[in-house]
């Protein structure tokens, strides 16, 4: 299905406005989070009043424009009415950084139509960076076109990852993969916000990113950004089921290829 560019722009504008509104609240409370504002959803998995407020603002704004669209957002139970439109929202990606005063977190909003990602927006409030992608029309940072890195080999790569803290029993294969990349790449970073790991891959800061057991809201917008910036995104089987499996490899064509090979060899043993 081809979607009219004007319509895509309209969806992107709503995502951008929603993220900017949420960003005001996020910035207001940054550095001021106290224990009474924090809940532990699961062990070492936190949510703050600010995550919840941000989500309320984003959902409210989207609903005020597209009341019949479905919404999947991290901090509320999913609202599926059978629409072909699905907004996928992470109101604050990098909550632990935010709580600790580490200035690396973002808002992530994506839109799927009939199961295809068509719009992705990531807003980094402290740096006022807006990353935006529309299917078939490229990826942009603050209105300027971005592309993945030209480096196409692992040995010339800075790789980003996240630790599998929710499923600690895969730590051994994860560490074997980590060791392989550690021995071959220029360096490895763990920034604490998966959507920013992907945005930075789309703009060529990182050549590749991999992580396991993520949720759709962590990666939907960022995956589209990487693809529209000329990169490749798959799950650990080399398929495009990363939103379902939560396992993701993203990078330049060559680096993605090398990472996929290492991950497949390691995880099957
Ligand atoms: C987390 C961040 C982090 C990743 C975690 C995610 P949250 O999202 O993206 O980088 O490693 O697995 O859950 O909880 O801060 O929205
Ligand atoms: Ca997240
Ligand atoms: Ca979040």
């Amino acid at each position: 299905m081809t979607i009219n560019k004007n319509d895509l722009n309209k969806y992107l504008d709503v995502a951008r406005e929603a993220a900017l509104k949420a960003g005001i609240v996020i910035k207001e409370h940054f550095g001021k989070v106290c224990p009474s504002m924090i809940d532990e959803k699961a062990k070492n998995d936190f949510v703050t009043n600010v995550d919840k407020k941000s989500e309320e603002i984003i959902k409210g704004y989207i609903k005020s424009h597209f009341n019949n669209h479905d919404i999947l957002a991290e901090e509320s139970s999913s609202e599926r009415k059978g629409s072909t439109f699905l907004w996928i929202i992470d109101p604050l990606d990098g909550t632990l950084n935010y709580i600790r005063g580490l200035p690396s977190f973002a808002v992530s909003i994506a839109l799927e139509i009939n199961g295809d990602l068509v719009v992705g927006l990531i807003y980094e409030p402290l740096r006022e960076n807006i990353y935006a992608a529309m299917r078939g029309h490229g990826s942009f940072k603050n209105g300027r076109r971005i592309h993945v890195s030209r480096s196409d080999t692992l040995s010339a790569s800075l790789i980003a990852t996240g630790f599998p803290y929710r499923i600690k029993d895969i730590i051994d294969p994860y560490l074997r993969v980590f060791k392989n990349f550690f021995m071959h790449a220029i360096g490895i970073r763990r920034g604490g916000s998966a959507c920013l790991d992907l945005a930075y891959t789309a703009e060529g800061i990182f050549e590749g990113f991999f992580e396991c057991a993520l949720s759709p809201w962590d990666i939907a917008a960022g995956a589209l950004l990487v693809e529209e910036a000329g990169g490749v995104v798959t799950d650990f089987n080399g398929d495009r089921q990363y939103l379902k499996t939560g396992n993701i490899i993203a990078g330049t064509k060559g680096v993605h290829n090398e990472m996929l090979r290492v991950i497949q060899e390691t995880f099957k043993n």
Side-chain angles (χ1 to χ4, degrees), residues 15 24 46 54 70 74 94 137 144 146 177 186 190 194 221 227 229 234 269:
I24 295 171
F46 303 98
S54 170
D70 283 350
E74 180 174 13
H137 300 284
R144 299 178 72 163
I146 52 172
V177 170
I186 296 175
R190 194 305 190 233
E227 286 181 355
T234 68
N269 292 322

Side-chain angles (χ1 to χ4, degrees), residues 1 23 28 78 127 158 184 192-193 258 264:
M1 185 179 76
E28 209 172 270
S78 104
R127 299 167 80 193
L158 181 59
H184 294 103
S193 162
E258 283 190 65
Q264 288 196 321

Side-chain angles (χ1 to χ4, degrees), residues 41 45-46 51 74 90 92-96 162-163 165-166 190-195 197 211-214 217-218:
K41 295 190 280 188
D45 192 358
F46 303 98
D51 299 60
E74 180 174 13
D90 192 331
L92 180 51
D93 186 51
T95 294
L96 190 53
F163 304 135
Y165 65 97
R166 283 199 188 90
R190 194 305 190 233
S193 162
C195 79
D197 291 330
E211 190 165 344
C212 323
L214 288 167
W217 43 80
D218 299 313

Side-chain angles (χ1 to χ4, degrees), residues 139-161:
S139 288
F140 298 81
K141 178 186 181 185
N142 302 328
R144 299 178 72 163
R145 189 86 192 240
I146 52 172
H147 300 279
V148 293
S149 165
R150 286 172 201 268
S151 302
D152 230 15
T153 59
L154 190 58
S155 61
S157 294
L158 181 59
I159 300 298
T161 187

Side-chain angles (χ1 to χ4, degrees), residues 15 17-27 29 47-62 71 73-76 89-93 95 98 105-109 123 125:
E17 277 308 306
L20 287 169
K21 283 178 190 301
I24 295 171
V25 174
I26 293 172
K27 281 188 280 193
H29 292 89
V47 60
T48 71
N49 293 353
V50 179
D51 299 60
K52 292 177 191 162
K53 185 70 196 166
S54 170
E55 184 160 308
E56 191 186 312
I57 292 169
I58 296 167
K59 283 173 62 175
Y61 193 77
I62 290 173
I71 293 183
E74 180 174 13
E75 310 304 345
S76 29
I89 301 164
D90 192 331
L92 180 51
D93 186 51
T95 294
Y98 187 79
F105 47 82
V107 172
S108 176
I109 302 176
Y123 175 47

